[in-house]
Amino acid sequence: MASTDNDRRPKYQKIADSLREAIQSGEYGSGDRLPGENELMATHGVARMTARQALSVLKDEGIAESRKGAGVFVRDFRPLRRRGIQRLSQEQWGNGRSIWSADIENRTLEVDQVRVSEEAAPEHVGLVLDLADDDSVCVRRRRFVLDGKPVLLATSYLPTSVVAGSAITQENTGPGGTYARLAELGYKPVHFREEIRSRMPTREEAAQLSISAGTPVILVCRTAFADDGRPVEINEMTLDAASYILEYDFDA
Amino acid sequence: MASTDNDRRPKYQKIADSLREAIQSGEYGSGDRLPGENELMATHGVARMTARQALSVLKDEGIAESRKGAGVFVRDFRPLRRRGIQRLSQEQWGNGRSIWSADIENRTLEVDQVRVSEEAAPEHVGLVLDLADDDSVCVRRRRFVLDGKPVLLATSYLPTSVVAGSAITQENTGPGGTYARLAELGYKPVHFREEIRSRMPTREEAAQLSISAGTPVILVCRTAFADDGRPVEINEMTLDAASYILEYDFDA
């Protein structure tokens, strides 16, 4: 897509484009150090500001990152592949496996923070779950850490009337997790809807996910439906966009 | 999610959080003018820089936007809901409808740029389509405009050996589009895979999509497979994240 035929690109843009191509072609690999400002000045005969701007372009795109005192490096982008449909198949949670285990291949994805509480339902949650004004919800807030880096915040809402007294109200929901427990309670999830958006993180999200500058978040809002069409869970997830590829496989 | 119990937030953050809550609660609606720097200074007893920073937070998150000389306004977020699975069902393109028509409800989504060319296959495309080194591809580049604003760039790659001589090599592919033509050629798409990522736009993408500062793009890479499992099309899409919600509905 690089418009190599366009000679009217500003100098910093040309340098950024050629570095990007070198990264995409594999000349610079994940974690490699890119040429610094001095090298770019010498190679391209440009001023320091131009060299700096070129590197900024790649940092803004999330392709490269500065490391203090060491230079600018190709960002280590080894995302999780999150298979949207397979991971939620009943074969997964119906056999006592965590749905998260489907994502991770040979890597370590851990929950490092869990908070479970009973709260008044936020308005948009109450509307979707079709709750009365004074119905409360069980709120499960979790943070997931991959290879030591926080990658995902998940906040799950379930009607208290459905989950009261079950392991869903505990930090550890047991084998197969929330969906296996919902099935035991007579609310087996049979259908899911996932809505995906993307935006820049709030400062709080950026802090909780240790997100580098110039990296957006992906928001996934999932609704789980029981057999009678009743929505039984809303799960609002905030993903570090540099850590995830979402995949959906389906027939025509 | 706002941590109202955290009194150690910086002042600008508290102001930004309270404005965000007012927007989310509907106190300020889409297109409404937010309090300006002078108002925020008076209301919260803060310096101009603090008021400015608070508004910057909301602009960076894509919730608000500056209009020259008029102030800061709640961004008009009326996204397209792109139903990933239904839109690609055979009932759609098999009956002569454009798959894009599934997205738009009562709005106008138009292609304002089409370029079709025969090109050497980019390496990653050749690998997925399982092409020989000297096989070429038909490349269809389109830009889609919603209500007058560009929202989507789509570049589709198909093996020349499959599509040569068909309407797929024309700007107008006819009723039902590329997929209906592939079916006529004996390569009916029966399975799709969509991979979704998000990052900040390149300057070129930002220009082509007229993207406001602080708005990421969503990348959707779709592969279409024929009956024998052969991949017959790769479509690389770049979406203005402020213009889209992607939705996937599926069974457990």
Side-chain angles (χ1 to χ4, degrees), chain A residues 33-252:
Chain A
R33 194 177 157 285
L34 291 175
E37 289 174 13
N38 292 332
E39 270 168 275
L40 293 176
M41 288 161 69
T43 318
H44 297 275
V46 296
R48 182 170 302 280
M49 268 312 292
T50 307
R52 191 169 296 170
Q53 265 186 301
L55 292 169
S56 287
V57 167
L58 300 178
K59 290 191 280 184
D60 285 350
E61 291 173 13
I63 297 174
E65 62 186 354
S66 286
R67 295 188 203 149
K68 238 182 189 165
V72 177
F73 291 79
V74 179
R75 193 139 160 212
D76 188 12
F77 183 69
R78 204 161 65 98
L80 276 187
R81 185 170 285 272
R82 178 184 183 277
R83 298 190 173 82
I85 296 173
Q86 292 86 331
R87 67 199 294 279
L88 291 173
S89 87
Q90 211 184 312
E91 283 169 42
Q92 189 70 15
W93 46 268
N95 287 313
R97 284 193 291 268
S98 151
I99 59 173
W100 308 97
S101 71
D103 299 338
I104 56 170
E105 294 149 14
N106 290 319
R107 302 165 76 184
T108 313
L109 186 68
E110 290 175 321
V111 174
D112 78 332
Q113 296 176 3
V114 195
R115 274 187 297 146
V116 186
S117 54
E118 189 179 333
E119 298 178 20
E123 195 180 343
H124 69 286
V125 169
L127 279 171
V128 174
L129 295 180
D130 200 16
L131 302 180
D133 279 353
D134 52 355
D135 286 345
S136 67
V137 281
C138 169
V139 185
R140 302 181 51 81
R141 290 186 176 82
R142 288 177 295 174
R143 185 170 80 162
F144 290 79
V145 173
L146 175 74
D147 299 343
K149 194 223 163 272
V151 292
L152 168 69
L153 308 171
T155 303
S156 176
Y157 301 90
L158 302 109
T160 302
S161 59
V162 167
V163 303
S166 77
I168 294 172
T169 63
Q170 306 299 312
E171 289 198 0
N172 183 349
T173 52
T178 295
Y179 292 157
R181 298 296 83 70
L182 279 173
E184 291 161 5
L185 291 166
Y187 297 91
K188 185 168 84 172
V190 297
H191 187 78
F192 297 99
R193 174 179 303 149
E194 295 197 334
E195 290 180 341
I196 300 166
R197 303 164 200 237
S198 170
R199 59 163 169 72
M200 294 312 285
T202 64
R203 274 163 218 249
E204 192 182 346
E205 290 164 344
Q208 286 189 275
L209 290 170
S210 306
I211 284 184
S212 342
T215 303
V217 286
I218 297 175
L219 307 179
V220 179
C221 176
R222 177 167 69 231
T223 312
F225 298 87
D227 214 5
D228 55 358
R230 174 176 177 166
V232 289
E233 185 215 27
I234 295 176
N235 195 333
E236 294 183 333
M237 290 165 268
T238 307
L239 289 65
D240 172 4
S243 298
Y244 274 96
I245 298 175
L246 312 188
E247 182 181 307
Y248 294 88
D249 253 281
F250 51 94
D251 293 331

